[in-house]
Amino acid sequence: MPSVPEPSRLSLWPTLAPSFFMPTPTLEVPLRTVGTRRQLGPVPLDRSVTLGKGKLLMDMALFMGRSFRVGWGPNWTLAHCGEQISQAKSLQQDQQTEAMGYGFLPKPSTFKQISEYPFKVNMEKVINVSERDVEEDLSLYRRPLAIELKHSTIITDEPCPLIQPAQGVDALHEYAEWISEVTKEPDSVDGTVRHWQLVWTLCEALWGSLGELDPDSEMQSEYRQRLQRRRAFSYWLSQSAARRIEEEVALSQHKSHVEATFSYLTGNRISEACRLAQQSGEHRLSLLLSQASGSQHSRELLSMQLVDWNRLQTDSFIQEERLRIYALLAGIPVWQSSESYINVCSELDWKRCVAIHLWYMLPPTASIADALSKYEEAFQGSSECQKYACSPLPPYLDDSQLGLEEFEDTEESKRPLYDICFHLLKLYSDRHYDLQQLLDPCTVTFDRLDYTLSWHLWNVLQALNYSHLSEQQQGLLHTSYAAQLESTGLWEMSIFVLLHISDAQQRERAVREMLSLHCPLVETQDSAERERFLTENLCLPVQWIHEAKATRACREGDKHKEALHLFKAGHWNQCHKLVVQYLASDAIINENHGYLLEFLEGLASPDRCTVIQDWDISGRVFLDYIHVLQTLDGIQKLEGPGYELERLHTEVTSLCSRIELIQCTTARDRLAQSEMAKRLANILRVVLSLGWEGAPDLKRVPLRHLAPHIGHLPMPEDYALEELRGLTQAYLRELIVSQ
């Protein structure tokens, strides 16, 4: 039997072991996070090292205790190390995983995501984090601002215009008309805009025109006007509850027609409630419903009936929802039946609570103030009864189903936060009601930086002669809304808002700062339209715009545009200084005399040059030099120079003695001065040769006329040696001729 061959005889490479060596696997170095681990909560003050050290001015880490500067960046960007405020977009990353078998390379190291580290910095945009269409978003700003501008008065008694709302209700009605157009399709707008509609329509009902009473409103009795206001307010209450009532009826009509009937009653839709009761066979109930808005006598009879049922304990056999309707028709907010309490206001929002007090619990002649006072007792409680109605919370809190106690605990201030519509009703009832809490953005939206409705509402209230808001709060309102408009790109409209500031000095400073931030140097159609709006519609001085552009050009290092806008802004001294220091030398060296002449001729008028410092030894010298060159070109084209030649000789000789007065701070300035001196020397020879009798000859110029002026010209050594050589030759020539 033959022996099995050894592995070395079968192949060139006997085994893999002696030929390939596996590289040692790379050790995975654990990553260390450098920084401070975030604490779960603040250290108690009694154990903090900052206790009692808040006044150490030399130690900024301890000064002011725990107060800190929020890391605000451009375009409303906030840098912080806390939890993320807004929901960030999830980035879709295509990760291609390859099935790796046995290989010779080490495995790649794994890295932690940033979100896994306890110390991190979040960069978020606080304002306008929602992704809505840009045009629709901007239209909610532009249209109401256009309405306000249309109904405003611009006062131009001071350098900075002052804008005040025009008296009357025209702006109020136009606001209500605009918001009604925007909310024609309620599902296409968010809840905040729908709330705007409730606010503007409520203002129209409380302070708007009264229709047929307008022509002789002064002659109408106060009683009739109060009834008209009550009617308009009742219509507003019905419209504000219409959407929710339809939803409730759709849910309960197929289950219990009694609940649907009650929902109709809370919206004062008595005819529909009667129709539904008849369709359900409730003819007696329909008869009672038809008397809901009648006299007080029917309410008293129904109250007596409820008392009899309670005494006989027969109300225990009546459905609780039906007893709720009877209590409402009887004008009793809370009724104690044999088995439980029947609260008419339970499960109702605050506006419908006000409505049922106005329609069913007060006489038909009661005013809006009476209904509001009755509702305040309902949700605040009194010595006679406990609270039985919900608080007038804003919609974003009302929809979140927070209890009143829970809401008050979460508030930083002790003053409760109510819906802006409730504050408007309070203002209508009490003309001296506090406007600060009414105009708080939190009464409208959860966004504390959204001052859109607050600012426009304040202007409407001013048009209605409400003025008891402090100047500090007015300034906060104007500057906050201006910052909001600035963040959306409508900086020209933010200037319109700032022009409402009453203090002239603060108003001018705010407007100038806004211009310096946003006025662009590049002229575009959009920038031209914005500037035209500022100057024509807002009567803003055009000089302020050019000052802002000059500031931006200085920041960007564009000396040409800086000088141009300083000239247009009327700052002659600064423009002259900039032209002489940065532009004149380049123009002389490059022989761009026309460019320099535009500036100097504009500055040379008598009313301007008199206020310019060092005009005679700076700008005037350059201007005369250019005029000499132009005059010399004109003389060469004339047949008989005569007088022009004599005048030119006087100008050249005067200019020779003033060239050395130009201040030179750079090598470029000295080069320009030397070029001017060299050229003036040549011009002087030409002028003297043209004035010589006979044919012009530069070699026959009298030395006594040339040497004194050449000696005053500031020239470098090579130019001076060349001129000295020429003068020496001329002197020797004159000596030879004289001998």
Side-chain angles (χ1 to χ4, degrees):
M1 181 175 180
S3 61
V4 180
E6 296 180 1
S8 60
R9 298 176 182 176
L10 294 177
S11 62
L12 184 62
W13 305 103
T15 59
L16 289 175
S19 300
F20 289 90
F21 294 94
M22 298 295 296
T24 57
T26 304
L27 297 178
E28 296 184 6
V29 180
L31 298 176
R32 294 182 60 191
T33 302
V34 180
T36 305
R37 187 177 298 274
R38 291 185 293 117
Q39 302 292 333
L40 297 178
V43 178
L45 186 61
D46 54 352
R47 289 188 294 166
S48 175
V49 296
T50 63
L51 179 62
K53 301 178 181 179
K55 297 183 179 180
L56 299 179
L57 298 177
M58 300 303 295
D59 192 339
M60 296 306 297
L62 295 176
F63 179 63
M64 296 296 292
R66 297 184 177 181
S67 61
F68 61 97
R69 178 184 177 274
V70 180
W72 288 106
N75 202 16
W76 291 94
T77 303
L78 176 65
H80 63 94
C81 59
E83 297 296 333
Q84 193 171 6
I85 300 175
S86 60
Q87 296 293 334
K89 293 183 179 179
S90 59
L91 301 177
Q92 299 178 355
Q93 300 178 350
D94 299 331
Q95 300 178 351
Q96 299 178 356
T97 58
E98 298 180 357
M100 298 180 62
Y102 184 82
F104 303 110
L105 299 178
K107 295 181 179 180
S109 300
T110 58
F111 296 93
K112 290 184 178 182
Q113 299 292 331
I114 295 180
S115 59
E116 299 179 12
Y117 290 107
F119 179 79
K120 57 181 179 292
V121 176
N122 291 322
M123 300 287 293
E124 299 185 76
K125 190 173 181 181
V126 177
I127 257 188
N128 289 340
V129 293
S130 58
E131 295 184 357
R132 295 187 297 176
D133 185 72
V134 177
E135 290 300 326
E136 292 183 1
D137 195 12
L138 292 181
S139 65
L140 295 177
Y141 291 106
R142 287 197 178 102
R143 179 58 181 152
L145 286 169
I147 295 174
E148 176 60 28
L149 178 59
K150 178 182 177 182
H151 299 281
S152 297
T153 303
I154 302 179
I155 303 174
T156 56
D157 296 339
E158 299 174 344
C160 185
L162 173 64
I163 298 180
Q164 293 180 345
Q167 298 296 316
V169 296
D170 295 337
L172 173 58
H173 286 288
E174 194 162 349
Y175 277 122
E177 182 181 355
W178 161 73
I179 198 64
S180 299
E181 294 177 0
V182 173
T183 56
K184 280 184 178 179
E185 298 179 0
D187 297 333
S188 62
V189 295
D190 58 8
T192 303
V193 179
R194 289 197 298 269
H195 195 203
W196 291 359
Q197 192 226 1
L198 292 178
V199 174
W200 288 122
T201 51
L202 175 60
C203 292
E204 188 179 29
L206 296 178
W207 290 286
S209 301
L210 292 176
E212 66 273 7
L213 293 181
D214 271 348
D216 53 350
S217 57
E218 297 181 357
M219 301 180 62
Q220 297 295 332
S221 63
E222 182 181 354
Y223 173 74
R224 293 195 59 184
Q225 291 185 16
R226 188 172 61 182
L227 290 183
Q228 289 293 332
R229 292 296 179 196
R230 174 191 168 101
R231 186 179 305 171
F233 179 58
S234 297
Y235 178 77
W236 178 83
L237 290 172
S238 301
Q239 293 298 316
S240 63
R243 185 176 182 180
R244 184 169 295 186
I245 289 174
E246 293 295 337
E247 295 175 356
E248 293 178 357
V249 170
L251 291 175
S252 61
Q253 190 170 7
H254 300 290
K255 299 179 181 179
S256 173
H257 67 276
V258 179
E259 295 182 2
T261 303
F262 181 80
S263 297
Y264 279 135
L265 288 177
T266 58
N268 203 26
R269 299 163 68 170
I270 299 176
S271 300
E272 299 178 29
C274 293
R275 189 179 303 108
L276 179 60
Q278 288 180 348
Q279 292 175 356
S280 304
E282 299 279 355
H283 300 291
R284 293 185 178 87
L285 178 60
S286 176
L287 184 62
L288 287 176
L289 294 176
S290 63
Q291 305 176 50
S293 58
S295 62
Q296 186 69 20
H297 183 65
S298 59
R299 299 178 185 177
E300 294 176 356
L301 291 177
L302 194 52
S303 300
M304 295 172 59
Q305 182 64 58
L306 289 174
V307 171
D308 291 341
W309 284 343
N310 187 20
R311 181 172 54 82
L312 299 175
Q313 296 185 355
T314 55
D315 53 0
S316 59
F317 302 100
I318 303 176
Q319 187 180 6
E320 185 174 342
E321 289 77 7
R322 193 178 298 271
L323 286 176
R324 193 179 181 190
I325 294 179
Y326 292 154
L328 177 63
L329 296 177
I332 302 175
V334 180
W335 171 254
Q336 182 179 2
S337 64
S338 301
E339 297 181 351
S340 62
Y341 283 93
I342 307 298
N343 185 2
V344 174
C345 296
S346 63
E347 301 179 1
L348 294 181
D349 59 276
W350 75 269
K351 289 185 283 295
R352 286 199 283 177
C353 291
V354 175
I356 62 176
H357 282 86
L358 178 66
W359 295 329
Y360 305 109
M361 299 179 188
L362 290 173
T365 57
S367 63
I368 299 175
D370 297 336
L372 187 64
S373 176
K374 193 77 174 178
Y375 167 69
E376 285 188 275
E377 295 179 0
F379 80 87
Q380 292 179 352
S382 62
S383 58
E384 299 179 357
C385 63
Q386 298 180 356
K387 54 183 179 181
Y388 56 87
C390 66
S391 299
L393 300 181
Y396 64 93
L397 291 177
D398 193 14
D399 296 339
S400 62
Q401 298 180 354
L402 288 175
L404 180 61
E405 293 80 7
E406 180 181 357
F407 168 70
E408 290 179 348
D409 291 341
T410 58
E411 280 298 299
E412 298 177 356
S413 61
K414 297 182 180 180
R415 183 171 56 189
L417 183 63
Y418 294 145
D419 191 351
I420 189 172
C421 294
F422 175 78
H423 290 299
L424 288 172
L425 291 173
K426 290 287 293 182
L427 181 64
Y428 175 77
S429 303
D430 180 10
R431 189 170 182 84
H432 302 285
Y433 184 73
D434 185 17
L435 291 177
Q436 179 178 351
Q437 53 183 336
L438 186 151
L439 299 174
D440 190 349
C442 296
T443 60
V444 184
T445 173
F446 64 90
D447 188 0
R448 293 177 178 266
L449 301 179
D450 188 0
Y451 282 83
T452 306
L453 181 63
S454 301
W455 187 82
H456 289 284
L457 187 58
W458 164 237
N459 289 316
V460 169
L461 292 177
Q462 280 184 298
L464 298 172
N465 296 321
Y466 289 94
S467 58
H468 55 283
L469 184 66
S470 64
E471 290 189 5
Q472 181 181 2
Q473 292 299 323
Q474 293 183 38
L476 175 64
L477 201 62
H478 296 317
T479 54
S480 300
Y481 188 47
Q484 183 180 350
L485 292 173
E486 182 187 5
S487 67
T488 61
L490 300 176
W491 60 269
E492 76 281 5
M493 302 308 300
S494 67
I495 293 178
F496 166 66
V497 173
L498 293 174
L499 289 176
H500 288 75
I501 299 177
S502 57
D503 186 83
Q505 185 177 0
Q506 295 181 3
R507 181 173 68 251
E508 181 176 348
R509 182 179 59 188
V511 170
R512 285 179 177 269
E513 289 180 355
M514 189 67 66
L515 288 173
S516 62
L517 284 174
H518 295 284
C519 277
L521 285 177
V522 181
E523 296 290 340
T524 60
Q525 183 178 359
D526 178 65
S527 64
E529 291 178 357
R530 296 188 186 214
E531 293 175 12
R532 193 180 307 113
F533 170 78
L534 294 176
T535 56
E536 296 180 1
N537 295 39
L538 303 185
C539 301
L540 210 64
V542 68
Q543 291 82 2
W544 291 7
I545 298 177
H546 292 295
E547 287 179 12
K549 291 185 176 182
T551 304
R552 179 175 291 272
C554 179
R555 184 168 63 246
E556 297 180 1
D558 193 339
K559 301 301 180 183
H560 162 66
K561 290 187 177 179
E562 182 182 359
L564 178 62
H565 291 295
L566 284 175
F567 180 82
K568 293 182 178 179
H571 296 288
W572 319 120
N573 195 18
Q574 298 179 23
C575 177
H576 169 261
K577 182 178 179 181
L578 192 67
V579 169
V580 170
Q581 188 173 359
Y582 295 101
L583 303 179
S585 298
D586 290 337
I588 294 297
I589 295 172
N590 299 324
E591 295 186 356
N592 191 5
H593 301 148
Y595 165 74
L596 184 59
L597 191 63
E598 292 180 1
F599 283 105
L600 297 178
E601 285 185 342
L603 297 173
S605 60
D607 58 330
R608 298 175 183 177
C609 67
T610 53
V611 297
I612 297 177
Q613 186 179 4
D614 298 333
W615 165 254
D616 292 331
I617 62 175
S618 296
R620 178 73 175 273
V621 177
F622 289 104
L623 181 62
D624 291 345
Y625 172 75
I626 298 174
H627 284 166
V628 165
L629 297 180
Q630 292 179 345
T631 305
L632 181 61
D633 294 338
I635 289 176
Q636 293 176 355
K637 299 177 183 179
L638 296 177
E639 296 180 357
Y643 171 75
E644 294 293 334
L645 188 62
E646 183 180 353
R647 186 171 61 87
L648 180 61
H649 178 266
T650 306
E651 293 178 357
V652 172
T653 54
S654 172
L655 193 58
C656 289
S657 61
R658 289 185 290 145
I659 289 290
E660 61 181 355
L661 299 178
I662 297 177
Q663 296 181 359
C664 298
T665 57
T666 62
R668 187 178 296 271
D669 295 338
R670 288 189 289 272
L671 176 59
Q673 187 185 45
S674 301
E675 291 293 334
M676 293 172 64
K678 180 66 175 178
R679 195 159 187 177
L680 277 178
N682 296 332
I683 293 174
L684 184 58
R685 286 192 181 91
V686 172
V687 171
L688 293 176
S689 65
L690 291 175
W692 186 261
E693 297 179 358
D697 187 3
L698 296 178
K699 296 181 180 181
R700 300 181 61 184
V701 176
L703 185 61
R704 64 181 182 275
H705 297 305
L706 184 62
H709 303 294
I710 296 296
H712 290 92
L713 293 175
M715 295 183 183
E717 293 182 359
D718 54 344
Y719 284 8
L721 289 175
E722 183 180 355
E723 292 294 335
L724 181 60
R725 188 180 300 113
L727 291 175
T728 304
Q729 293 176 359
Y731 178 70
L732 293 175
R733 191 180 300 111
E734 287 186 4
L735 286 177
I736 295 172
V737 172
S738 62
Q739 292 177 358

